[in-house]
Amino acid sequence: MNLIFPKVSTPEEIAALSRLAAEIWQEYYVSIITLEQIDYMIQQYQSVSAVTEQIQEQGYEYYFMQRDDTPVGYMSVRVEEGKMFLSKFYIGKEHRGQGYASLAFAFLEQQCIERGINLIWLTVNRHNESSIAVYEKKGFRTVREQVADIGNGFVMDDFVMEKAIHVS
């Protein structure tokens, strides 16, 4: 299976990513949070302007997960204090269960090794059982819980998970 991870940088790529994000979020999160919160979070975190600002001003790197010429998902990371924060990790519904997550995590771990980073951490909604199961299967463990006020009356009610990376 050939999966590549092109870095998102051009306005056209950012627009394509934003469209993919809206598609995935509206399909996936409807059973976990309200549509109003989904729409708010897409606008705040995955709109063209939000992604552009994250890349240009906040140090985030976005990558497509791409098979042939088709994006099957995307992820976003930021290195902070010697750790890699996995901010976004999403695979489209029709592409789940095909081994893409394993390939993407191998890519992320290789990025960590190349940069001398020995920890990946993430936040995941505490009710997102299927994603928590995937992260646990990939070696992540829950280290704490956090509730973050994201504005407009919404909160993110999350587990913080970590995985140690063995850098030689």
Side-chain angles (χ1 to χ4, degrees), residues 15-25 64-65 71-74 90 92:
L17 182 129
S18 188
R19 286 191 300 274
L20 178 64
E23 242 175 69
I24 293 172
W25 281 48
F64 281 116
M65 298 175 206
V72 300
Y74 71 99
Y90 297 101

Side-chain angles (χ1 to χ4, degrees), residues 12 30 33 41 62 69 72 81 85 91 104 130 132 142 147 154-155 162:
E12 295 79 17
V30 72
I33 57 178
M41 290 179 72
Y62 275 83
D69 288 330
V72 300
E81 299 173 6
F85 172 46
I91 298 174
S130 59
I132 292 167
T142 301
V147 177
F154 298 118
V155 298
E162 293 181 347

Side-chain angles (χ1 to χ4, degrees), residues 4-44:
I4 60 171
F5 304 95
K7 196 170 189 176
V8 175
S9 57
T10 69
E12 295 79 17
E13 291 165 344
I14 291 170
L17 182 129
S18 188
R19 286 191 300 274
L20 178 64
E23 242 175 69
I24 293 172
W25 281 48
Q26 288 167 342
E27 172 271 320
Y28 188 80
Y29 279 109
V30 72
S31 65
I32 300 172
I33 57 178
T34 65
L35 279 174
E36 292 79 16
Q37 184 167 348
I38 293 167
D39 290 343
Y40 175 77
M41 290 179 72
I42 289 169
Q43 189 57 44
Q44 292 294 113

Side-chain angles (χ1 to χ4, degrees), residues 117-152:
I117 296 168
N118 62 10
L119 187 90
I120 300 175
W121 71 281
L122 59 86
T123 60
V124 59
N125 183 294
R126 74 176 67 222
H127 303 293
N128 189 346
E129 294 169 6
S130 59
S131 291
I132 292 167
V134 169
Y135 295 140
E136 288 175 341
K137 185 178 173 188
K138 301 301 173 204
F140 285 81
R141 61 184 181 83
T142 301
V143 294
R144 68 179 186 277
E145 300 176 13
Q146 75 180 22
V147 177
D149 184 338
I150 58 169
N152 222 37

Side-chain angles (χ1 to χ4, degrees), residues 61 77-80 82-86 108-109 111-112 115 117-122:
E61 301 168 29
V77 298
R78 180 171 74 178
V79 175
E80 44 188 48
K83 301 174 183 176
M84 181 175 282
F85 172 46
L86 177 56
L108 289 175
E109 288 182 28
Q111 292 289 307
C112 286
R115 300 173 194 206
I117 296 168
N118 62 10
L119 187 90
I120 300 175
W121 71 281
L122 59 86

